[in-house]
Amino acid sequence: MTRAPDTVAVVCEDQRWTYREVNQRANQLARLLLQTGAGPEHRIALALPRSAHTITAILAVLKTGAAYVPLDPDYPQERLTHLLTDSDPTALITTTDIAPTLPTPSNTHATPHILLDHPHTTT
């Protein structure tokens, strides 16, 4: 990346991001994650469709030192509930169209949702 920051790093459908853009997006999200308490020994849930945003979200989580827990939005509700309850994530990264479909486990704390299509919004 440091040798050719303007080289295309991610291509997904009509999106083409350079290494510089991926890094900037990941850094911005990592800062937001750190504000929610992410760091070593923490888990961040990712409920995202396959996209360029998924790559930057994974990179952002790793930059904080946390681990990511992938959640397929198409999983049955019972499976998603189990994964969220078991992992007890510090935050959940998703989008505005997926967030309402996700379960809220009753025996866990209120997990903040970071909406990638509104990156400065947490719910």
Side-chain angles (χ1 to χ4, degrees):
M1 183 194 110
T2 57
R3 290 187 202 168
D6 295 317
T7 301
V8 174
V10 175
V11 176
C12 186
E13 296 177 2
D14 61 341
Q15 294 175 316
R16 299 175 68 82
W17 293 346
T18 66
Y19 285 99
R20 183 187 323 270
E21 290 170 320
V22 170
N23 193 49
Q24 287 172 341
R25 290 170 189 265
N27 285 342
Q28 180 182 14
L29 182 55
R31 283 191 292 277
L32 186 58
L33 288 170
L34 289 168
Q35 291 172 5
T36 66
E41 308 287 326
H42 291 262
R43 288 156 307 285
I44 306 297
L46 304 178
L48 299 167
R50 290 178 190 233
S51 70
H53 292 289
T54 303
I55 302 298
T56 57
I58 291 169
L59 183 56
V61 171
L62 296 176
K63 284 177 178 256
T64 69
Y68 66 92
V69 178
L71 303 175
D72 185 334
D74 293 330
Y75 280 167
Q77 291 292 301
E78 298 80 25
R79 177 74 176 144
L80 292 171
T81 299
H82 172 73
L83 288 168
L84 288 167
T85 302
D86 191 48
S87 65
D88 191 25
T90 301
L92 187 147
I93 300 172
T94 191
T95 60
T96 54
D97 59 328
I98 294 174
T101 69
L102 297 173
T104 304
S106 59
N107 63 339
T108 61
H109 65 283
T111 304
H113 288 51
I114 297 172
L115 306 174
L116 283 186
D117 43 356
H118 295 289
H120 300 292
T121 304
T122 58
T123 61

